[in-house]
């Protein structure tokens, strides 16, 4: 085993257990109701902030918990095993907002735009996708124009997690469409600015307690210090951010899969047919064995990607592998969990029904499974050059 992994690190073992206990006692008990109502878990997000879980990889100097990516993946799995909606809110703030601001902002920007989010006092979002450009960010239409005092932003964004509640949104816009990806910039947009509007909230299959919004920018004037990095660096910022974000979504998928698997083990041990628990049936045992194997395989891939990130090594391929494996494992395990539960699994009274709905999105957002395969193949072929 690699040093610093949960199997060899007592601190990580304790962290995993402590966050798991919190998740089951404080979050899991509310998850079904949050799913039913679609209400944003404001109080829970505040608790996550107080525990240091909203800025886990941000140094203490900027209000974060100063932990590593492996610890973050572990925490994400535990929170998501209790409630996938709460998990993705945490993931976006950590991976898609705090990380790029930490990596590309000046110290002055970090004080203004990072510290409140890393400490959990405010919430961030990431706005790259557009109505016609989801998997093709280089073709985005949202525009920015340099003017006296800053930049004017016009356009729209789709599928933005935390879009309704965010205090700041990392917004990607082009200052010169003819330059394609080289014309893209990243701006830190205060959602209180004139011209910024939340247009639509999606009515989704799963992760119902997290908002997924369409955003509209109508001559939104942002100050010059809202530019993250340099002009034309937006595409680079987006791609590097998504690498880390895929570790977060892989961990979310692990949590969903873990919840479905644990529920299946309990149900199979308690449910009797033909005078004995169904766990005695070979068919059920085979399901459980395959579920356990897929879950642990995906977990190891996720930890490996996180470990490479912690070491400062390139992890694009490994993050894509982790996200692909974990999301598809989550969907497969959730499906088998319903099968193990039989008719009960098809009802909202039992958790696999929610796991099934929540799992699907992990194969779609932050790069579909098809995009992950393209990334992996491109990386593998590049190694031949």
């Amino acid at each position: 085993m690699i040093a610093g992994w949960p199997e060899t690190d007592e601190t990580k073992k304790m962290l995993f257990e402590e966050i798991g206990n919190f998740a089951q006692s404080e979050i899991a008990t509310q998850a079904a109701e949050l799913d039913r109502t679609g209400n944003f878990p404001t109080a829970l997000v505040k608790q996550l902030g107080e525990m240091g879980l909203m800025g886990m990889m941000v140094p203490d100097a900027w209000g974060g918990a100063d932990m590593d990516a492996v610890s973050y993946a572990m925490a994400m799995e535990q929170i998501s095993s209790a409630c996938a909606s709460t998990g993705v809110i945490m993931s976006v703030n950590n991976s898609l907002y705090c990380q790029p601001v930490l990596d590309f902002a000046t110290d002055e920007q970090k004080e203004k735009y990072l510290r409140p989010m890393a400490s959990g006092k405010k919430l961030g979002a990431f706005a790259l996708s557009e109505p016609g450009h989801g998997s093709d960010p280089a073709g985005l239409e949202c525009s920015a124009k340099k003017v006296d005092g800053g930049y004017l932003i016009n356009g729209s964004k789709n599928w933005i997690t935390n879009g309704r509640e965010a205090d700041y949104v990392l917004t990607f816009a082009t200052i010169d469409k003819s330059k394609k990806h080289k014309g893209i910039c990243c701006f830190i947009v205060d959602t209180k600015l004139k011209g910024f509007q939340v247009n639509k909230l999606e009515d989704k299959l799963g992760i119902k307690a997290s908002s997924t919004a369409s955003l509209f920018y109508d001559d939104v004037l942002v100050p010059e210090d809202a530019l993250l990095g340099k002009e034309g660096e937006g595409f680079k910022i987006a791609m590097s951010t998504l690498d880390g974000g895929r570790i977060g979504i892989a961990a979310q998928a692990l949590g969903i899969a873990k919840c479905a698997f644990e529920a299946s083990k309990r149900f199979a041990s308690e449910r009797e047919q033909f005078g004995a628990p169904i766990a005695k049936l070979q068919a059920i045992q085979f399901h459980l064995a395959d579920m356990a194997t897929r879950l642990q395989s995906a977990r190891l891939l996720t930890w490996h990607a996180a470990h490479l990130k912690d070491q400062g090594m390139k992890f694009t391929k490994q993050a894509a592998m982790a996200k692909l494996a974990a999301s598809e494992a989550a969907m497969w395990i959730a499906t088998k969990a319903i099968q193990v539960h039989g008719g009960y699994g098809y009802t909202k009274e039992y958790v696999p029904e929610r796991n099934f709905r929540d799992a699907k999105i992990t194969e779609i957002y932050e790069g579909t499974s098809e995009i992950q395969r393209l990334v992996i193949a491109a990386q593998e072929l590049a190694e031949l050059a």
Side-chain angles (χ1 to χ4, degrees), residues 228-289:
L228 185 63
K230 300 176 182 178
E231 288 188 357
E233 284 191 332
F235 188 79
K236 179 180 75 173
I237 293 172
M239 294 302 102
S240 68
T241 300
L242 289 175
D243 282 347
R246 285 165 183 162
I247 294 175
I249 297 305
Q252 182 200 23
L254 291 176
I256 297 168
K258 177 185 175 183
C259 182
F261 176 52
E262 295 296 332
S264 297
K265 287 195 295 183
R266 289 193 300 271
F267 184 86
S269 297
E270 297 167 0
R271 173 67 169 165
E272 291 195 358
Q273 288 285 291
F274 310 110
I278 63 172
K280 298 287 187 179
L281 299 173
Q282 188 182 67
I284 299 299
Q285 291 178 358
F286 280 9
H287 284 326
L288 295 176

XYZ file of all heavy atoms in Angstrom, residues 228-289:
458
model
N -9.643 36.108 -13.010
C -8.798 35.083 -12.393
C -7.724 34.679 -13.389
O -8.038 34.276 -14.516
C -9.635 33.876 -11.985
C -8.908 32.774 -11.216
C -8.391 33.292 -9.872
C -9.831 31.577 -10.996
N -6.459 34.771 -12.977
C -5.380 34.515 -13.904
C -5.242 35.663 -14.888
O -5.577 36.811 -14.589
N -4.808 35.334 -16.096
C -4.626 36.344 -17.127
C -5.680 36.190 -18.218
O -6.349 35.172 -18.311
C -3.227 36.213 -17.752
C -2.095 36.388 -16.758
C -0.751 36.141 -17.431
C 0.393 36.269 -16.424
N 1.721 35.983 -17.051
N -5.814 37.224 -19.036
C -6.711 37.130 -20.192
C -6.244 35.979 -21.082
O -5.054 35.844 -21.372
C -6.723 38.438 -20.979
C -7.446 39.570 -20.282
C -7.613 40.792 -21.186
O -7.110 40.766 -22.332
O -8.248 41.774 -20.741
N -7.190 35.147 -21.510
C -6.869 34.019 -22.369
C -6.496 32.745 -21.634
O -6.276 31.706 -22.267
N -6.439 32.793 -20.287
C -6.078 31.603 -19.520
C -7.295 30.818 -19.032
O -7.141 29.810 -18.339
C -5.231 31.990 -18.297
C -3.805 32.336 -18.612
C -2.941 32.451 -17.369
O -3.474 32.786 -16.285
O -1.721 32.205 -17.483
N -8.471 31.261 -19.399
C -9.681 30.633 -18.878
C -9.811 29.163 -19.212
O -10.216 28.354 -18.360
N -9.469 28.794 -20.436
C -9.599 27.391 -20.838
C -8.645 26.519 -20.025
O -9.021 25.432 -19.569
C -9.322 27.238 -22.334
C -9.609 25.853 -22.866
C -10.907 25.446 -23.139
C -8.578 24.953 -23.096
C -11.179 24.167 -23.629
C -8.835 23.677 -23.585
C -10.132 23.292 -23.838
N -7.427 26.994 -19.824
C -6.460 26.255 -19.006
C -6.968 26.099 -17.574
O -6.858 25.015 -16.978
C -5.111 26.983 -19.001
C -4.054 26.286 -18.162
C -2.738 27.030 -18.186
C -2.769 28.277 -17.321
N -1.424 28.911 -17.209
N -7.538 27.159 -17.037
C -8.083 27.108 -15.682
C -9.216 26.092 -15.607
O -9.289 25.282 -14.675
C -8.574 28.505 -15.246
C -7.389 29.459 -15.103
C -9.365 28.425 -13.936
C -7.778 30.906 -14.867
N -10.103 26.117 -16.607
C -11.243 25.202 -16.619
C -10.799 23.750 -16.680
O -11.301 22.898 -15.935
C -12.165 25.517 -17.792
N -9.860 23.454 -17.569
C -9.433 22.060 -17.738
C -8.705 21.538 -16.501
O -8.922 20.393 -16.076
C -8.529 21.924 -18.978
C -9.248 22.200 -20.301
S -10.691 21.124 -20.604
C -12.038 22.246 -20.175
N -7.857 22.361 -15.909
C -7.159 21.905 -14.703
C -8.129 21.745 -13.545
O -7.979 20.834 -12.714
C -6.047 22.886 -14.328
O -6.567 24.128 -13.898
N -9.137 22.593 -13.505
C -10.147 22.494 -12.449
C -10.954 21.213 -12.587
O -11.237 20.532 -11.591
C -11.086 23.713 -12.486
O -10.317 24.904 -12.292
C -12.159 23.624 -11.413
N -11.324 20.871 -13.807
C -12.125 19.664 -14.023
C -11.360 18.401 -13.663
O -11.963 17.417 -13.213
C -12.612 19.607 -15.476
C -13.702 20.627 -15.836
C -14.015 20.572 -17.328
C -14.959 20.392 -15.020
N -10.052 18.396 -13.827
C -9.265 17.235 -13.395
C -9.504 16.965 -11.912
O -9.782 15.835 -11.509
C -7.774 17.476 -13.646
C -7.372 17.289 -15.102
O -8.185 16.736 -15.870
O -6.259 17.693 -15.469
N -9.384 18.008 -11.105
C -9.617 17.846 -9.675
C -11.075 17.588 -9.352
O -11.395 16.817 -8.442
N -11.955 18.231 -10.101
C -13.382 18.038 -9.881
C -13.819 16.610 -10.111
O -14.751 16.119 -9.455
N -13.150 15.931 -11.021
C -13.519 14.542 -11.308
C -13.179 13.622 -10.145
O -13.840 12.597 -9.951
C -12.839 14.102 -12.614
C -13.529 14.713 -13.820
C -12.747 14.653 -15.112
N -13.507 15.330 -16.164
C -13.014 15.767 -17.309
N -11.719 15.593 -17.555
N -13.778 16.367 -18.198
N -12.178 13.981 -9.365
C -11.902 13.213 -8.149
C -13.063 13.381 -7.172
O -13.516 12.417 -6.548
C -10.581 13.671 -7.505
C -9.404 13.318 -8.423
C -10.409 13.037 -6.123
C -8.062 13.840 -7.934
N -13.567 14.607 -7.062
C -14.701 14.858 -6.176
C -15.950 14.102 -6.586
O -16.645 13.515 -5.740
N -16.247 14.078 -7.886
C -17.441 13.371 -8.357
C -17.241 11.863 -8.265
O -18.184 11.116 -7.970
C -17.794 13.793 -9.796
C -18.134 15.292 -9.817
C -18.975 12.981 -10.318
C -19.233 15.713 -8.837
N -16.019 11.400 -8.490
C -15.750 9.972 -8.285
C -16.039 9.594 -6.838
O -16.665 8.559 -6.561
C -14.292 9.655 -8.630
N -15.611 10.441 -5.911
C -15.850 10.167 -4.493
C -17.336 10.247 -4.161
O -17.839 9.471 -3.335
C -15.053 11.144 -3.633
N -18.050 11.179 -4.792
C -19.502 11.237 -4.601
C -20.142 9.936 -5.065
O -21.008 9.368 -4.386
C -20.106 12.408 -5.365
C -21.618 12.524 -5.159
C -22.323 13.332 -6.238
O -21.816 13.467 -7.349
N -23.477 13.876 -5.918
N -19.721 9.458 -6.232
C -20.257 8.200 -6.761
C -19.945 7.034 -5.823
O -20.792 6.154 -5.614
C -19.676 7.926 -8.149
N -18.751 7.028 -5.247
C -18.408 5.983 -4.277
C -19.374 6.002 -3.101
O -19.797 4.950 -2.606
C -16.979 6.187 -3.758
C -15.819 5.950 -4.722
C -14.507 6.295 -4.026
C -15.798 4.517 -5.235
N -19.709 7.205 -2.641
C -20.627 7.315 -1.520
C -22.003 6.763 -1.836
O -22.611 6.052 -1.021
N -22.492 7.081 -3.025
C -23.793 6.558 -3.447
C -23.742 5.034 -3.531
O -24.644 4.332 -3.061
C -24.193 7.167 -4.809
C -24.373 8.688 -4.690
C -25.474 6.517 -5.336
C -24.482 9.402 -6.032
N -22.678 4.524 -4.139
C -22.510 3.071 -4.272
C -22.396 2.404 -2.909
O -22.979 1.337 -2.667
C -21.271 2.777 -5.116
N -21.646 3.020 -2.009
C -21.480 2.463 -0.663
C -22.824 2.371 0.051
O -23.131 1.364 0.695
C -20.519 3.332 0.138
C -20.337 2.876 1.578
C -19.463 3.850 2.348
C -19.393 3.463 3.807
N -18.611 4.443 4.611
N -23.622 3.429 -0.054
C -24.934 3.440 0.592
C -25.802 2.301 0.062
O -26.428 1.565 0.837
C -25.618 4.789 0.346
S -27.229 4.951 1.127
N -25.827 2.121 -1.255
C -26.637 1.066 -1.867
C -26.131 -0.319 -1.468
O -26.924 -1.240 -1.207
C -26.629 1.227 -3.388
N -24.831 -0.468 -1.418
C -24.238 -1.754 -1.065
C -24.525 -2.119 0.389
O -24.926 -3.250 0.696
C -22.728 -1.708 -1.325
C -21.997 -2.947 -0.907
C -22.413 -4.205 -1.323
C -20.874 -2.856 -0.099
C -21.729 -5.352 -0.940
C -20.183 -3.999 0.292
C -20.608 -5.245 -0.126
N -24.317 -1.157 1.298
C -24.559 -1.425 2.715
C -26.036 -1.744 2.965
O -26.371 -2.629 3.767
C -24.121 -0.235 3.567
C -22.621 0.048 3.545
C -21.799 -1.072 4.139
O -22.323 -1.796 5.013
O -20.635 -1.240 3.734
N -26.911 -1.026 2.265
C -28.344 -1.298 2.404
C -28.669 -2.705 1.918
O -29.508 -3.409 2.510
C -29.156 -0.263 1.620
N -28.012 -3.134 0.856
C -28.253 -4.472 0.308
C -27.791 -5.567 1.264
O -28.461 -6.595 1.424
C -27.547 -4.618 -1.042
O -28.066 -3.699 -1.981
N -26.641 -5.355 1.885
C -26.152 -6.343 2.851
C -27.127 -6.488 4.030
O -27.438 -7.608 4.455
C -24.767 -5.944 3.358
C -23.650 -6.124 2.349
C -22.286 -6.076 3.015
C -21.988 -4.716 3.617
N -20.628 -4.656 4.199
N -27.583 -5.337 4.527
C -28.516 -5.388 5.660
C -29.816 -6.072 5.272
O -30.325 -6.935 6.000
C -28.802 -3.965 6.160
C -27.636 -3.300 6.884
C -28.098 -2.047 7.598
N -28.670 -1.072 6.677
C -27.977 -0.136 6.048
N -26.662 -0.045 6.227
N -28.573 0.730 5.240
N -30.351 -5.694 4.127
C -31.623 -6.251 3.688
C -31.504 -7.752 3.464
O -32.375 -8.535 3.875
C -32.095 -5.563 2.410
C -33.449 -6.004 1.932
C -34.603 -5.415 2.422
C -33.578 -7.034 1.000
C -35.861 -5.828 1.995
C -34.823 -7.459 0.568
C -35.967 -6.849 1.067
N -30.418 -8.169 2.801
C -30.244 -9.590 2.497
C -30.088 -10.423 3.776
O -30.481 -11.598 3.816
C -29.025 -9.787 1.605
N -29.547 -9.825 4.807
C -29.361 -10.548 6.066
C -30.656 -10.650 6.870
O -30.816 -11.558 7.686
C -28.290 -9.845 6.910
O -27.041 -9.862 6.249
N -31.572 -9.697 6.632
C -32.812 -9.646 7.413
C -34.011 -10.249 6.680
O -34.910 -10.803 7.310
C -33.123 -8.188 7.773
C -32.056 -7.547 8.678
C -32.197 -6.043 8.758
O -33.138 -5.494 8.106
O -31.378 -5.395 9.449
N -34.037 -10.152 5.375
C -35.174 -10.611 4.582
C -35.146 -12.140 4.446
O -34.143 -12.712 3.997
C -35.136 -9.952 3.204
C -36.166 -10.455 2.200
C -37.576 -10.093 2.592
N -38.496 -10.353 1.492
C -39.799 -10.400 1.645
N -40.344 -10.187 2.844
N -40.581 -10.620 0.602
N -36.219 -12.783 4.811
C -36.273 -14.244 4.729
C -37.188 -14.707 3.602
O -38.252 -14.142 3.376
C -36.744 -14.836 6.061
C -35.732 -14.683 7.185
C -36.047 -15.564 8.378
O -37.077 -16.279 8.347
O -35.258 -15.534 9.340
N -36.729 -15.720 2.915
C -37.507 -16.425 1.897
C -37.164 -17.912 2.012
O -35.999 -18.280 2.249
C -37.163 -15.919 0.497
C -37.683 -14.515 0.195
C -39.183 -14.501 -0.056
O -39.671 -15.003 -1.059
N -39.912 -13.900 0.870
N -38.152 -18.760 1.872
C -37.948 -20.206 1.943
C -37.306 -20.614 3.278
O -36.467 -21.519 3.336
C -37.098 -20.697 0.769
C -37.589 -20.204 -0.569
C -36.857 -19.265 -1.290
C -38.800 -20.652 -1.098
C -37.313 -18.798 -2.515
C -39.241 -20.192 -2.327
C -38.520 -19.261 -3.027
N -37.652 -19.867 4.333
C -37.229 -20.237 5.674
C -35.837 -19.819 6.081
O -35.317 -20.263 7.108
N -35.198 -18.935 5.291
C -33.842 -18.487 5.637
C -33.596 -17.104 5.036
O -34.258 -16.712 4.069
C -32.806 -19.482 5.120
N -32.641 -16.351 5.592
C -32.306 -15.050 4.999
C -31.877 -15.227 3.543
O -31.198 -16.200 3.206
C -31.137 -14.552 5.858
C -31.280 -15.280 7.149
C -31.831 -16.627 6.799
N -32.246 -14.272 2.702
C -31.889 -14.399 1.282
C -30.385 -14.289 1.080
O -29.873 -14.644 0.009
C -32.632 -13.366 0.404
C -32.246 -11.933 0.785
C -34.140 -13.575 0.494
C -32.800 -10.894 -0.191
N -29.645 -13.811 2.088
C -28.182 -13.775 1.997
C -27.591 -15.180 1.881
O -26.432 -15.335 1.481
C -27.596 -13.070 3.214
N -28.384 -16.183 2.210
C -27.926 -17.563 2.073
C -27.991 -18.054 0.628
O -27.403 -19.085 0.287
C -28.784 -18.492 2.951
C -28.712 -18.207 4.445
C -27.401 -18.641 5.035
C -27.396 -18.503 6.555
N -26.112 -18.945 7.141
N -28.723 -17.323 -0.206
C -28.888 -17.735 -1.594
C -27.654 -17.353 -2.407
O -27.163 -16.233 -2.344
C -30.130 -17.077 -2.203
C -31.466 -17.403 -1.528
C -32.581 -16.559 -2.130
C -31.781 -18.892 -1.669
N -27.181 -18.294 -3.213
C -25.975 -18.044 -3.994
C -26.155 -16.864 -4.947
O -25.227 -16.062 -5.146
C -25.578 -19.295 -4.774
C -24.229 -19.170 -5.468
C -23.881 -20.413 -6.272
O -24.540 -20.710 -7.260
N -22.870 -21.149 -5.823
N -27.337 -16.742 -5.523
C -27.578 -15.644 -6.465
C -27.374 -14.290 -5.789
O -26.767 -13.369 -6.373
C -28.995 -15.736 -7.031
N -27.859 -14.161 -4.558
C -27.701 -12.920 -3.814
C -26.235 -12.721 -3.416
O -25.696 -11.607 -3.499
C -28.603 -12.918 -2.559
C -30.081 -13.031 -2.966
C -28.374 -11.655 -1.737
C -30.588 -11.906 -3.838
N -25.590 -13.797 -3.012
C -24.176 -13.699 -2.644
C -23.329 -13.236 -3.825
O -22.394 -12.440 -3.666
C -23.677 -15.053 -2.127
C -24.272 -15.449 -0.794
C -23.797 -16.815 -0.319
O -23.035 -17.493 -1.014
N -24.238 -17.224 0.861
N -23.651 -13.727 -5.005
C -22.905 -13.297 -6.193
C -23.098 -11.804 -6.447
O -22.154 -11.091 -6.803
C -23.347 -14.108 -7.422
C -22.726 -15.478 -7.499
C -21.988 -16.007 -6.445
C -22.885 -16.242 -8.642
C -21.425 -17.269 -6.522
C -22.314 -17.517 -8.736
C -21.586 -18.023 -7.670
N -24.326 -11.321 -6.287
C -24.582 -9.880 -6.430
C -23.732 -9.086 -5.439
O -23.080 -8.106 -5.802
C -26.056 -9.570 -6.181
C -26.969 -9.927 -7.315
N -26.594 -9.838 -8.632
C -28.274 -10.339 -7.315
C -27.613 -10.197 -9.409
N -28.637 -10.510 -8.624
N -23.741 -9.509 -4.185
C -23.002 -8.790 -3.145
C -21.494 -8.824 -3.403
O -20.793 -7.818 -3.212
C -23.315 -9.376 -1.770
C -24.759 -9.237 -1.282
C -24.941 -9.942 0.055
C -25.168 -7.772 -1.158
N -21.005 -9.963 -3.857
C -19.572 -10.080 -4.152
C -19.159 -9.144 -5.281
O -18.121 -8.463 -5.205
C -19.227 -11.528 -4.520
